[in-house]
């Protein structure tokens, strides 16, 4: 049985969610971003307790098909931007269509309907958060960051960064108030 979970965005989330399942004696087969596969069906009482425990940690169970699909789109984008830098060179629409076995136009329309933003804007916001993270670490040049995140050049990255944050990457880096947005809040 597969259960879909909202706000799972990192490997730590996977560990926390897996732990909650194990506390309830639910044996997991696989735990991925946004979904958990368990051996047996769960009853309504177990589901209610699981839901309460997950919500206390900032997660939620997803029941309807549309929300599951949108959450899978988000998880694929988060995984792509934050964990698979080398794959950023592929076309986003092809990547999503292939991974979800659905036409990109229908995915795009559904995402916009549920999230009130486009897939592209969500993707860009994730990339900008990754840029912020890399700037804060101060280990890479802006040119290296642009290359890692598949920007055509530093100017393109800088323009997009300023458009989203209101700061140039350099002024953000020099700022004492380096605010990042939690991935699940994008």
């Amino acid at each position: 049985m597969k259960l879909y979970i909202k706000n799972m965005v990192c490997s730590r989330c996977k560990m926390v969610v897996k732990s909650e399942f194990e506390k309830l004696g639910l044996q997991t087969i696989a735990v991925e971003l946004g979904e958990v596969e368990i051996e047996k069906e769960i009853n309504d009482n177990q589901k209610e307790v699981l839901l309460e425990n997950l919500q206390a940690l900032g997660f939620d169970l997803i029941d309807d098909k549309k929300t599951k699909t949108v959450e899978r789109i988000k998880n694929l984008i988060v995984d792509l931007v934050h964990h698979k830098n080398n794959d950023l060179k592929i076309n986003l629409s092809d990547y999503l269509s292939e991974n979800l076995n659905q036409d990109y136009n229908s995915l795009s329309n559904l995402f916009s309907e549920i999230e009130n933003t486009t897939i592209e804007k969500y993707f860009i916001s994730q990339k900008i958060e990754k840029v912020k993270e890399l700037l804060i670490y101060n280990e890479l040049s802006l040119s290296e960051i642009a290359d890692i995140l598949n920007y055509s050049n530093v100017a393109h990255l800088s323009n997009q960064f300023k458009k989203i944050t209101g700061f140039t990457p350099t002024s953000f880096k020099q700022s004492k108030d380096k605010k990042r947005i939690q991935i699940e809040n994008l």
Side-chain angles (χ1 to χ4, degrees), residues 99-126:
N99 279 282
L100 297 171
N101 296 319
Q102 291 186 40
D103 173 62
Y104 180 76
N105 286 334
S106 61
L107 292 172
S108 178
N109 291 335
L110 175 64
F111 192 90
S112 296
E113 173 191 327
I114 302 289
E115 292 294 315
N116 295 318
T117 190
T118 65
I119 288 175
E120 187 64 29
K121 285 181 181 174
Y122 183 78
F123 180 60
I124 290 168
S125 65
Q126 288 296 335

Side-chain angles (χ1 to χ4, degrees), residues 38-55:
I38 56 176
E39 288 182 352
K40 299 176 184 171
E41 296 284 324
I42 63 174
N43 63 42
D44 289 340
N45 186 43
Q46 288 174 310
K47 193 171 187 176
E48 190 175 313
V49 172
L50 178 64
L51 178 60
E52 282 178 26
N53 293 353
L54 290 173
Q55 286 176 335

Side-chain angles (χ1 to χ4, degrees), residues 18 37 43 53 57 60 62 65 70 72 80 82 93 95 118 126 139 141-142 150-151 168 179 182 185:
K18 183 176 183 175
E37 187 174 355
N43 63 42
N53 293 353
L57 295 166
D60 207 349
I62 303 170
K65 186 177 178 182
V70 168
R72 288 182 67 204
L80 180 65
H82 297 276
S93 58
Y95 177 76
T118 65
Q126 288 296 335
E139 295 176 351
S141 70
L142 201 52
N150 199 35
Y151 281 95
T168 65
K179 297 217 180 199
Q182 294 180 19
N185 293 334

Side-chain angles (χ1 to χ4, degrees), residues 164-180:
I164 301 294
T165 66
F167 297 99
T168 65
T170 305
S171 62
F172 175 80
K173 194 173 181 179
Q174 293 169 346
S175 169
K176 291 183 178 152
D177 190 26
K178 296 178 176 122
K179 297 217 180 199
R180 291 181 52 207

Side-chain angles (χ1 to χ4, degrees), residues 3-159:
L3 295 170
Y4 295 90
I5 301 174
K6 187 174 184 168
N7 295 331
M8 280 182 72
V9 295
C10 64
S11 53
R12 232 175 279 120
C13 294
K14 289 170 30 176
M15 289 187 312
V16 169
V17 168
K18 183 176 183 175
S19 172
E20 288 304 312
F21 275 80
E22 289 171 354
K23 283 179 189 174
L24 294 174
L26 301 170
Q27 196 64 29
T28 58
I29 297 170
V31 180
E32 298 299 328
L33 293 179
E35 61 184 57
V36 176
E37 187 174 355
I38 56 176
E39 288 182 352
K40 299 176 184 171
E41 296 284 324
I42 63 174
N43 63 42
D44 289 340
N45 186 43
Q46 288 174 310
K47 193 171 187 176
E48 190 175 313
V49 172
L50 178 64
L51 178 60
E52 282 178 26
N53 293 353
L54 290 173
Q55 286 176 335
L57 295 166
F59 302 104
D60 207 349
L61 287 174
I62 303 170
D63 286 329
D64 71 280
K65 186 177 178 182
K66 286 181 176 183
T67 307
K68 285 179 190 175
T69 301
V70 168
E71 199 62 24
R72 288 182 67 204
I73 291 169
K74 287 178 163 184
N75 287 329
L76 283 167
I77 290 172
V78 166
D79 193 41
L80 180 65
V81 172
H82 297 276
H83 307 291
K84 296 181 177 176
N85 293 344
N86 296 339
D87 290 345
L88 279 171
K89 291 179 176 31
I90 65 172
N91 182 295
L92 180 63
S93 58
D94 291 342
Y95 177 76
L96 293 174
S97 293
E98 287 171 19
N99 279 282
L100 297 171
N101 296 319
Q102 291 186 40
D103 173 62
Y104 180 76
N105 286 334
S106 61
L107 292 172
S108 178
N109 291 335
L110 175 64
F111 192 90
S112 296
E113 173 191 327
I114 302 289
E115 292 294 315
N116 295 318
T117 190
T118 65
I119 288 175
E120 187 64 29
K121 285 181 181 174
Y122 183 78
F123 180 60
I124 290 168
S125 65
Q126 288 296 335
K127 285 175 72 172
I128 294 303
E129 284 308 306
K130 185 66 174 182
V131 171
K132 287 180 186 178
E133 176 186 338
L134 295 171
L135 286 171
I136 289 169
Y137 291 159
N138 202 22
E139 295 176 351
L140 301 171
S141 70
L142 201 52
S143 180
E144 290 169 319
I145 293 171
D147 187 51
I148 286 170
L149 294 173
N150 199 35
Y151 281 95
S152 54
N153 54 47
V154 173
H156 181 223
L157 181 153
S158 296
N159 288 337

